[in-house]
Amino acid sequence: MYKGVTMEQKHKAKIIAVANQKGGVGKTTSAVNLAAALAKKRKKVLLIDSDPQGNASSGLGIRTGSLKQHLYHSYTGGVPLTDVLIQTKVSNLSIAPSNIDLVAAEIELIGVEEREFNLQKLLQSVSSSFDYILIDCPPSLGLLTINGLTAAHSVLIPMQCEYYAMEGLSQLVKTIRSVKKAFNKELFIEGLLLTMYDKRNKLTYQVAEEVIKHFGDQVFKTVIPRNVRLSECPSHGQTIIEYDIRSSGATAYMNLASEFLKQQRLSVCQ
C-alpha cells in the first residue's frame, strides 16, 4: 500500500501537500500542472486551492471573485467540502477553489480546538472519490500550511534552481519534522522537484548537485525547465496540457506524472 497509508485507508486518495514557504518557485504551477497531467493519465484528481491568492483556481479558468462558496466557507462556515467542489474543464480534475477571503480563515481558526486538523476532517468526506488529492499550500508556514501538512500523507517540494532556495528549504524541512512529530506521524517527503531549470546556466547545475548531495533519491529525476508557454498559460485560464501539449513544459509535467505514478507503484510493493 502507499507509504504512510494504513490498510484501512487503502480505498482512499493519496494526499500530497505541495509546499514551499518561498514564493516564486513554481509551487502553484507545479500543483496545477501535475494535477492536470495525472488527470490526463486517467487518474481522478482533486486539487485543493489552499492559497488565498487563488492562483490555482484562476489558472484553471475559475473566476474567483464571483464564487458564492469556496474553501473559506468549508474551513469556517461548516459548508461541506462536496458543496464547494467544481469540475474543471480538464477531464478527471476537480478543484476546491478559493480567493482572498481565505486569509481570514487563519485568524478565525486561532481559537478553534484542534485547528490544525480542520482540513484533514474536511477531506474525509471526499477522499474515497479520488485517486489523488493535491493541496496547493500558501507560500508561508502559517496555519493553512500546517493544515495542509497535517492532512497529507506526503509533501512535494518545488524548488527553484537558485542559491537562496537552499536556505528556505532547510526551514521548510524543519517545519515538516515539527508537524510530523506533533500532528502527523506518517508524513514524509514525496520528493523535491527542481523548477525553472535552465541548462544554459552554470548555477542551475551547482544548485541541482547540492540538492542531490543532501537529499539523494528524494529528488525527482524529472526537472521543470524555464518555458515561456508555462508562464503564459495561467493568463488564459488553462493548464499547460491544454494550452500547448507539445511544449517542453507540458512534456516535463507529463514525465513528472509518469515518474510519480511509478513511485507509487513501487511503494505499494514495498
Side-chain angles (χ1 to χ4, degrees):
M1 206 44 235
Y2 297 133
K3 183 177 179 182
V5 183
T6 66
M7 290 302 291
E8 291 75 15
Q9 294 171 310
K10 64 182 179 180
H11 63 289
K12 296 183 179 180
K14 171 80 174 282
I15 304 172
I16 305 101
V18 183
N20 193 324
Q21 83 281 7
K22 190 176 186 299
V25 300
K27 175 186 60 65
T28 297
T29 297
S30 294
V32 168
N33 290 300
L34 175 58
L38 290 171
K40 182 77 171 175
K41 291 180 178 292
R42 300 184 179 181
K43 300 299 180 183
K44 294 193 70 176
V45 184
L46 171 61
L47 180 59
I48 304 293
D49 188 355
S50 196
D51 185 342
Q53 296 177 88
N55 289 338
S57 302
S58 60
L60 283 166
I62 296 167
R63 296 180 179 177
T64 59
S66 62
L67 292 171
K68 293 182 179 179
Q69 290 189 142
H70 45 80
L71 191 58
Y72 165 79
H73 299 98
S74 293
Y75 256 117
T76 63
V79 175
L81 191 61
T82 50
D83 289 0
V84 308
L85 299 190
I86 296 174
Q87 170 61 49
T88 72
K89 295 174 292 184
V90 179
S91 297
N92 301 317
L93 176 58
S94 298
I95 186 169
S98 71
N99 63 22
I100 195 64
D101 292 347
L102 193 58
V103 168
E106 287 201 300
I107 300 170
E108 293 179 39
L109 289 172
I110 288 175
V112 176
E113 189 176 350
E114 295 190 328
R115 57 188 177 272
E116 298 86 1
F117 296 89
N118 204 293
L119 183 57
Q120 182 188 81
K121 294 172 183 176
L122 290 174
L123 292 180
Q124 288 174 358
S125 64
V126 300
S127 184
S128 60
S129 299
F130 298 94
D131 297 310
Y132 297 101
I133 298 175
L134 275 64
I135 305 169
D136 183 30
C137 298
S140 69
L141 296 178
L143 189 53
L144 290 173
T145 295
I146 300 300
N147 262 262
L149 296 176
T150 302
H153 298 120
S154 63
V155 191
L156 189 155
I157 305 172
M159 180 180 163
Q160 186 177 357
C161 292
E162 65 169 31
Y163 174 74
Y164 290 113
M166 291 297 293
E167 294 182 357
L169 181 59
S170 61
Q171 187 179 359
L172 177 59
V173 170
K174 287 179 182 177
T175 300
I176 292 170
R177 288 173 179 164
S178 297
V179 171
K180 182 182 176 76
K181 183 177 180 180
F183 308 118
N184 185 359
K185 291 180 171 54
E186 302 299 329
L187 184 65
F188 67 100
I189 295 176
E190 187 76 42
L192 281 79
L193 175 65
L194 297 175
T195 63
M196 304 178 192
Y197 194 93
D198 185 353
K199 59 185 179 182
R200 300 167 299 180
N201 189 331
K202 185 178 179 181
L203 180 61
T204 291
Y205 291 99
Q206 293 174 338
V207 172
E209 286 177 2
E210 192 70 15
V211 174
I212 293 169
K213 177 182 175 182
H214 283 86
F215 292 92
D217 60 6
Q218 286 185 304
V219 183
F220 283 104
K221 291 180 175 60
T222 303
V223 298
I224 308 302
R226 285 191 179 277
N227 178 235
V228 173
R229 305 299 270 173
L230 266 177
S231 302
E232 292 174 347
C233 62
S235 64
H236 295 270
Q238 293 181 315
T239 70
I240 192 61
I241 310 300
E242 304 164 274
Y243 186 64
D244 188 355
I245 190 65
R246 293 181 296 276
S247 66
S248 61
T251 299
Y253 278 108
M254 290 301 292
N255 289 342
L256 176 63
S258 296
E259 183 179 355
F260 172 83
L261 291 173
K262 181 180 179 181
Q263 193 167 290
Q264 306 314 301
R265 291 192 294 271
L266 289 173
S267 66
V268 168
C269 299
Q270 291 177 354

